[in-house]
């Protein structure tokens, strides 16, 4: 957000500043090609800016996002927005897709859009060159004719004119599975497109898992639950554990639910919740366990994980525990000591603590 000084003659001596949301360069490219846009349009994975207010009056914009923070942003701007992994029920005749980080997730989005739109409809793809928009444009080809409309602001915008309307695949066909061992037997992990470590167990979580037997039992939050590895592991260890799976991403929350169902874990053990950060976690927890997230799209963002170290104590019972694993170079032990009084390093291996 940039701030602009606005003089007010009636109140001399006072300064007022008007907050103006900067326009994302991808949105600027869309506005350069606004003549192609009309009627009800679905904006998929759109940036949090003022694009909707700058579009022509002939455009009726609806938003689809799986990021809880972005959903709240569009709600606050009173834009019609759908949060979830499925397409919104709202009618739309065109779609603008802002390239996501995951190739698999883009495949999922394009398939869902093509299954809904009529043959001959337009799907526009826009993204930054550094985020791989040229690579992403190749994923349009199975669905029809593609044309590059613009290249500006270090971004590109492409148009797909559909020539096919595939049958919608069930969500189960998009799951990737892998196995994780626990002291009480194997777990099958179910990960949907775009979810962290979709194909295999990541190194950080692998370092953490052997220590989960030491976590106090009871009400436990898995912050940044991803595909539900930690949540399911803790549920498998002790059927009396009640797990709160917390994530900003709807695909992660759905994956955790699928993982619990796949492994026949008790439904009453799990509560899933979309959160903006640890501040949305329940109170009076016995433990918080996390391989904390530090990416927003292609960008690194340590705010959520640093806030976890600084403020999670207020969500814990007296004597409650915070267990995290992170890259070795991150100075989280110091943050934890400053806010908890004590931090013990249980492991330091393979680049993780």
């Amino acid at each position: 957000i940039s701030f602009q000084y606005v003089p007010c003659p009636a109140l001399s001596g006072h300064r007022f500043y008007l907050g103006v949301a900067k326009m994302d360069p991808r949105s600027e490219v869309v506005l350069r090609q606004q003549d192609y846009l009309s009627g009800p349009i679905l904006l998929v994975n759109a940036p949090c800016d003022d694009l909707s207010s700058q579009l022509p009056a002939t455009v009726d914009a609806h938003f689809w996002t799986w990021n809880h923070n972005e959903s709240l942003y569009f709600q606050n701007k009173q834009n019609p927005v759908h949060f979830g992994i499925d397409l919104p029920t709202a009618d739309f005749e065109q779609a603008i897709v802002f390239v996501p980080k995951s190739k698999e997730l883009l495949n999922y989005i394009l398939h869902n859009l093509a299954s809904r739109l009529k043959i001959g409809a337009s799907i526009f793809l826009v993204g930054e060159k550094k985020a791989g928009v040229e690579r992403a444009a190749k994923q349009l080809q199975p669905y029809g004719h593609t044309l590059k409309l613009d290249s500006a602001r270090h971004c590109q915008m492409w148009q797909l004119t559909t020539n096919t309307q595939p049958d919608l695949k069930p969500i189960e066909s998009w799951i990737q599975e892998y196995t994780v061992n626990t002291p009480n037997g194997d777990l099958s992990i179910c990960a949907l497109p775009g979810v962290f470590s979709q194909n295999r167990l990541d190194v950080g979580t692998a370092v953490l898992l052997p220590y989960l037997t030491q976590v106090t039992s009871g009400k436990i939050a898995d912050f940044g639950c991803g595909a539900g590895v930690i949540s399911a592991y803790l549920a498998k260890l002790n059927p009396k554990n009640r797990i709160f799976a917390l994530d900003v991403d709807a695909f992660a929350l759905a994956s955790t639910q699928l993982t619990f169902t796949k492994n026949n874990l008790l439904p009453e053990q799990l509560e899933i919740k979309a959160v903006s950060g640890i501040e949305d976690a329940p109170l009076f927890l016995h433990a918080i366990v996390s391989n904390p997230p530090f990416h927003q799209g292609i960008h690194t963002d340590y705010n959520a994980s640093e806030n976890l170290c600084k403020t999670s104590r207020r969500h814990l019972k007296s004597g409650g525990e915070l267990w995290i694993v992170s890259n070795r170079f991150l100075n989280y032990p110091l943050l934890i000591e400053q806010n908890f009084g004590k931090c013990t390093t249980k492991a330091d291996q393979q680049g993780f603590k």
Side-chain angles (χ1 to χ4, degrees), residues 180-183 187 209-210 212 228-237:
V180 170
N181 305 119
T182 86
L187 285 170
L209 291 183
L212 295 187
V229 177
I230 294 172
S231 292
Y233 200 104
L234 288 166
K236 187 90 168 174
L237 284 178

Side-chain angles (χ1 to χ4, degrees), residues 22-39:
K22 280 187 176 180
M23 192 68 74
D24 189 285
R26 295 169 295 169
S27 296
E28 292 177 347
V29 173
V30 170
L31 292 174
R32 283 164 54 96
Q33 302 300 325
Q34 61 184 274
D35 289 346
Y36 285 90
L37 311 177
S38 64

Side-chain angles (χ1 to χ4, degrees), residues 122-133:
S122 288
I123 299 175
F124 302 96
L125 184 73
V126 61
E128 297 176 277
K129 292 178 183 178
K130 66 180 180 182
V133 63

Side-chain angles (χ1 to χ4, degrees), residues 25-195:
R26 295 169 295 169
S27 296
E28 292 177 347
V29 173
V30 170
L31 292 174
R32 283 164 54 96
Q33 302 300 325
Q34 61 184 274
D35 289 346
Y36 285 90
L37 311 177
S38 64
I41 296 180
L42 183 65
L43 278 66
V44 184
N45 192 37
C48 294
D49 61 15
D50 284 332
L51 174 59
S52 61
S53 65
Q54 302 297 319
L55 289 170
T58 55
V59 170
D60 179 19
H62 295 256
F63 291 82
W64 173 27
T65 181
W66 41 92
N67 182 292
H68 181 61
N69 286 326
E70 293 172 4
S71 177
L72 294 176
Y73 174 84
F74 293 122
Q75 286 180 38
N76 289 336
K77 289 182 67 67
Q78 298 185 329
N79 294 134
V81 58
H82 171 72
F83 170 75
I85 67 170
D86 53 335
L87 276 174
T89 56
D91 291 330
F92 54 93
E93 297 171 1
Q94 297 178 322
I96 304 174
V97 180
F98 293 81
V99 177
K101 180 181 178 181
S102 164
K103 177 180 178 180
E104 293 78 14
L105 181 53
L106 180 57
N107 280 334
Y108 175 87
I109 294 164
L110 293 175
H111 171 81
N112 276 262
L113 291 173
S115 71
R116 172 80 74 86
L117 289 167
K118 297 177 182 177
I119 291 176
S122 288
I123 299 175
F124 302 96
L125 184 73
V126 61
E128 297 176 277
K129 292 178 183 178
K130 66 180 180 182
V133 63
E134 290 186 274
R135 178 268 303 161
K138 296 177 182 177
Q139 294 176 243
L140 299 171
Q141 295 174 0
Y143 299 102
H145 175 71
T146 62
L147 174 67
K148 186 196 289 186
L149 295 180
D150 203 349
S151 182
R153 313 288 198 272
H154 304 290
C155 301
Q156 291 181 2
M157 182 170 176
W158 291 72
Q159 181 186 27
L160 162 69
T161 303
T162 61
N163 63 11
T164 183
Q165 191 178 37
D167 293 331
L168 182 63
K169 295 179 185 178
I171 192 64
E172 290 76 15
S173 67
W174 297 95
I175 295 171
Q176 295 202 33
E177 291 189 32
Y178 56 90
T179 302
V180 170
N181 305 119
T182 86
N184 292 344
D186 290 348
L187 285 170
S188 293
I189 306 302
C190 300
L192 291 170
V195 174

Side-chain angles (χ1 to χ4, degrees), residues 113-324:
L113 291 173
S115 71
R116 172 80 74 86
L117 289 167
K118 297 177 182 177
I119 291 176
S122 288
I123 299 175
F124 302 96
L125 184 73
V126 61
E128 297 176 277
K129 292 178 183 178
K130 66 180 180 182
V133 63
E134 290 186 274
R135 178 268 303 161
K138 296 177 182 177
Q139 294 176 243
L140 299 171
Q141 295 174 0
Y143 299 102
H145 175 71
T146 62
L147 174 67
K148 186 196 289 186
L149 295 180
D150 203 349
S151 182
R153 313 288 198 272
H154 304 290
C155 301
Q156 291 181 2
M157 182 170 176
W158 291 72
Q159 181 186 27
L160 162 69
T161 303
T162 61
N163 63 11
T164 183
Q165 191 178 37
D167 293 331
L168 182 63
K169 295 179 185 178
I171 192 64
E172 290 76 15
S173 67
W174 297 95
I175 295 171
Q176 295 202 33
E177 291 189 32
Y178 56 90
T179 302
V180 170
N181 305 119
T182 86
N184 292 344
D186 290 348
L187 285 170
S188 293
I189 306 302
C190 300
L192 291 170
V195 174
F196 173 68
S197 194
Q198 185 187 2
N199 303 314
R200 61 191 180 281
L201 183 66
D202 65 284
V203 176
T205 303
V207 170
L208 173 64
L209 291 183
Y211 296 89
L212 295 187
T213 55
Q214 300 178 28
V215 175
T216 186
S217 59
K219 290 173 56 179
I220 307 174
D222 175 8
F223 179 69
C225 61
V229 177
I230 294 172
S231 292
Y233 200 104
L234 288 166
K236 187 90 168 174
L237 284 178
N238 186 349
K240 293 183 179 180
N241 281 339
R242 187 179 178 199
I243 312 299
F244 296 85
L246 314 176
D247 209 292
V248 71
D249 184 0
F251 283 92
L253 297 172
S255 296
T256 296
Q257 183 66 70
L258 288 165
T259 294
F260 265 66
T261 302
K262 176 72 176 181
N263 293 281
N264 297 314
L265 295 168
L266 298 173
E268 57 268 27
Q269 280 190 273
L270 178 67
E271 182 174 328
I272 59 174
K273 183 181 180 182
V275 297
S276 296
I278 193 61
E279 63 271 14
D280 296 330
L283 300 174
F284 305 112
L285 295 166
H286 293 92
I288 297 171
V289 184
S290 182
N291 180 357
F294 54 89
H295 284 100
Q296 289 290 337
I298 65 170
H299 304 289
T300 302
D301 184 353
Y302 296 109
N303 285 333
S305 51
E306 289 181 357
N307 285 339
L308 174 67
C309 298
K310 292 176 182 177
T311 67
S312 58
R313 181 177 178 178
R314 68 188 62 168
H315 295 272
L316 293 165
K317 285 176 171 283
S318 178
E321 303 169 352
L322 170 67
W323 290 76
I324 70 170

